[in-house]
């Protein structure tokens, strides 16, 4: 089955692409490479060749806002008698702080780009979509674990764009509910890397997120981790999050694709997390205990826009997709550090 991965060269897309190729899916990666490196494609191919796995992978450099370029990808596949059966739509911009500084860019890429994709899919009779949404859409919620039917009050432009796309997808589904099959995945905090150390997270510049920051402090690329506040209403005063291993998350996408294949004409919103909450201090201490690498830190004031706690209820993913994560914090720390040690400067 041929699957198109927009943003397939990015952090989540590349891990999902590798797993799909290992399972025999025919994959097209469509990416502008704005926030990723073409070296990730070499790493995916290197891994598959080293395991003597036959695979079908095509990479196309293109922007989701370029309708002609997107349309050609679908038309070419039809002409090859191997049409795209499903799309996993990862492409987008994901920095909360950048979205505050440049909201129009975020609306343009995340919302207008998605609208283009949906129009091109319709034109080419492809109606199966897995969409990358985010736990950010919930906003602050004291009620944890968070269920999919909890209220959504995003507090930044990035979250607004994700919730808007969810609304567009709902409207589209309602207008043609005998045509579309849509799965919206709300990720909590994806972390770590492929155990081979060949692919992983490679943020541009100073990382925004806790995990890549910790692994970069551990190897000495950054001096000190800033812990954003020890005065939150949590068990030790630092923020609590639901971290999920990137390979478990990638497995969740394959489960969603298979679900759409056997349950046509559905629209489902599904949390992907681990249902475990760890505080920042717990992560720092566990990382040291598990890996032996100490993480220097200092407590600074709260980061604007942060929330105290976020933990996923994943019972829907388990029930509908038959999916639940199998990797624990130890795997997250070891695989994340392995990637950082093998690639101290990322894909550079
Ligand atoms: P990423 O930045 O690593 O990957 C996104 C990919 O999209 C990159 O390869 C980038 O080059 C590409 N891209 C950006 N703009 C594009 C455009 N206009 N046209 C074509 N390609 C474009 O991010 P990621 O962590 O892999 O996230 C993937 C998706 O999951 C995003 O939509 C993100 O919002 C969402 N998400 C991520 C997280 C997270 O913590 N990583 C959490 C929740 C949701
Ligand atoms: C985790 C905890 C911080 C960095 C973000 C986006 C969200 C989603 C995932 C895309 C918090 C603390 C962090 C640091 C710290 N992405 N922290 N020092 O904020 O839960 O979610 O990434 O959809 O939209 O908002 O993740 O990893 O940034 O923070 O103390 O240098 O670590 O305050 O408590 P977050 P994070």
């Amino acid at each position: 089955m041929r699957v198109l991965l927009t943003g397939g060269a990015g952090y989540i897309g590349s891990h999902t692409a590798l797993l799909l190729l290992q399972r025999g899916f025919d994959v097209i990666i469509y990416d502008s490479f704005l926030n990723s490196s073409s070296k990730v494609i070499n790493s995916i191919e290197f891994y598959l060749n080293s395991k003597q796995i036959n695979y079908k992978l095509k990479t196309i450099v293109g922007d989701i806002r370029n309708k002609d370029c997107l349309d050609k990808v679908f038309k070419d596949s039809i002409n090859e008698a191997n049409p795209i059966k499903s799309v996993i739509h990862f492409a987008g911009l994901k920095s909360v702080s950048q979205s505050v500084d440049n909201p129009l860019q975020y609306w343009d890429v995340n919302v207008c780009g998605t609208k283009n994709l949906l129009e091109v899919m319709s034109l080419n009779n492809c109606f199966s979509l897995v969409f990358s949404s985010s736990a950010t859409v919930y906003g602050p919620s004291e009620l944890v674990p968070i269920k999919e039917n909890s209220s959504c009050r995003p507090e930044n432009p990035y979250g607004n764009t994700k919730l808007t796309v969810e609304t567009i997808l709902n409207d589209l589904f309602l207008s043609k509910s005998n045509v579309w099959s849509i799965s919206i995945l709300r990720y909590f905090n994806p972390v770590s890397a492929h155990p081979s150390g060949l692919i992983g997270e490679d943020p541009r510049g100073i990382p925004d997120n806790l995990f890549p920051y910790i692994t970069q402090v551990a190897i000495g690329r950054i001096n000190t981790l800033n812990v954003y506040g020890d005065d939150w209403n949590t068990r030790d005063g630092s923020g609590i999050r639901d971290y999920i291993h990137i390979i478990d998350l990638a497995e969740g996408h394959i489960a969603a694709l298979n679900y759409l294949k056997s349950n046509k004409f559905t629209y489902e919103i599904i949390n992907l997390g681990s249902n475990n909450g760890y505080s920042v201090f717990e992560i720092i201490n566990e990382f040291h205990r598990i890996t032996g690498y100490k993480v220097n830190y200092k407590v600074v004031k709260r980061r604007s826009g942060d929330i105290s706690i976020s933990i996923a209820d994943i019972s829907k993913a388990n029930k509908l997709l038959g999916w639940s994560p199998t990797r624990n914090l130890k795997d997250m720390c070891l695989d994340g550090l392995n990637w950082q040690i093998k690639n101290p400067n990322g894909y550079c």
Side-chain angles (χ1 to χ4, degrees):
M1 175 168 125
R2 184 167 253 187
V3 185
L4 175 70
L5 271 54
T6 70
Y11 172 46
I12 304 172
S14 57
H15 288 82
T16 307
L18 180 56
L19 257 65
L20 285 166
L21 291 162
Q22 276 182 286
R23 308 273 164 90
F25 286 84
D26 178 332
V27 172
I28 301 180
I29 288 177
Y30 182 92
D31 201 302
S32 66
F33 291 92
L34 174 74
N35 286 325
S36 47
S37 163
S38 59
K39 290 188 183 149
V40 75
I41 307 295
N42 303 336
S43 298
I44 290 173
E45 292 185 331
F46 178 85
Y47 180 82
L48 294 167
N49 290 332
S50 73
K51 299 279 172 207
Q52 299 183 320
I53 295 169
N54 289 322
Y55 60 90
K56 284 190 185 142
L57 171 65
K58 230 188 203 188
T59 304
I60 289 149
V61 183
D63 194 298
I64 49 168
R65 291 167 297 176
N66 183 339
K67 256 175 121 169
D68 290 341
C69 186
L70 258 182
D71 189 54
K72 186 170 179 321
V73 177
F74 281 86
K75 296 263 168 0
D76 285 351
S77 293
I78 292 166
N79 290 337
E80 289 164 15
N82 188 6
I84 294 165
K85 289 280 165 49
S86 200
V87 175
I88 310 184
H89 180 31
F90 296 106
L93 302 177
K94 65 167 180 181
S95 159
V96 170
S97 57
Q98 280 173 17
S99 79
V100 173
D101 293 340
N102 202 343
L104 292 182
Q105 189 193 15
Y106 272 67
W107 281 85
D108 188 35
V109 173
N110 292 0
V111 179
C112 301
T114 303
K115 177 178 160 280
N116 273 346
L117 172 68
L118 296 170
E119 285 168 354
V120 172
M121 286 176 70
S122 301
L123 273 175
N124 290 286
N125 293 316
C126 176
F127 297 105
S128 166
L129 177 75
V130 177
F131 172 62
S132 295
S133 189
S134 168
T136 305
V137 299
Y138 293 115
S141 168
E142 296 306 323
L143 259 187
V144 290
I146 305 170
K147 279 188 173 300
E148 289 83 352
N149 58 8
S150 301
S151 62
C152 288
R153 287 176 291 126
E155 290 203 319
N156 52 67
Y158 167 68
N160 288 334
T161 63
K162 288 290 175 187
L163 193 56
T164 299
V165 170
E166 290 193 9
T167 309
I168 292 172
L169 292 175
N170 190 36
D171 287 346
L172 188 63
F173 175 73
L174 293 177
S175 75
K176 289 203 176 93
S177 51
N178 58 341
V179 173
W180 282 93
S181 306
I182 297 172
S183 175
I184 292 174
L185 303 180
R186 289 181 179 160
Y187 316 143
F188 278 64
N189 289 60
V191 297
S192 197
H194 191 270
S196 65
L198 284 170
I199 57 171
E201 187 170 15
D202 183 18
R204 296 265 152 106
I206 306 282
D208 274 341
N209 298 118
L210 182 68
F211 241 83
Y213 212 113
I214 284 185
T215 54
Q216 293 194 17
V217 172
I219 64 154
R221 184 168 153 185
I222 300 177
N223 280 335
T224 311
L225 168 74
N226 292 321
V227 174
Y228 296 132
D230 60 359
D231 55 353
W232 293 97
N233 183 21
T234 58
R235 50 186 175 256
D236 62 15
S238 64
I240 292 180
R241 295 291 183 277
D242 180 326
Y243 298 96
I244 172 166
H245 194 295
I246 188 70
I247 302 298
D248 281 326
L249 191 77
E251 298 272 12
H253 290 78
I254 298 181
L257 270 187
N258 289 334
Y259 175 79
L260 291 184
K261 204 173 158 200
S262 42
N263 296 275
K264 291 205 181 335
F265 318 134
T266 49
Y267 170 93
E268 295 290 353
I269 296 176
I270 303 169
N271 286 340
L272 292 184
S274 70
N275 189 233
N276 285 312
Y278 288 101
S279 75
V280 177
F281 291 135
E282 286 165 349
I283 296 286
I284 293 171
N285 293 334
E286 282 299 286
F287 188 87
H288 184 198
R289 191 184 63 77
I290 291 163
T291 66
Y293 282 72
K294 196 166 179 325
V295 178
N296 299 321
Y297 72 88
K298 68 171 189 290
V299 177
V300 298
K301 69 178 174 47
R302 291 181 180 190
R303 179 172 65 177
S304 136
D306 262 354
I307 54 175
S308 65
I309 181 161
S310 165
I311 301 173
D313 182 313
I314 53 169
S315 47
K316 185 168 176 185
N318 187 244
K319 192 169 157 211
L320 285 192
L321 309 182
W323 170 91
S324 52
T326 59
R327 291 156 185 88
N328 58 20
L329 186 60
K330 185 176 175 190
D331 303 313
M332 298 183 212
C333 292
L334 289 174
D335 292 339
L337 181 66
N338 178 43
W339 152 257
Q340 197 69 76
I341 288 173
K342 287 186 172 150
N343 309 270
N345 297 311
Y347 289 108
C348 299

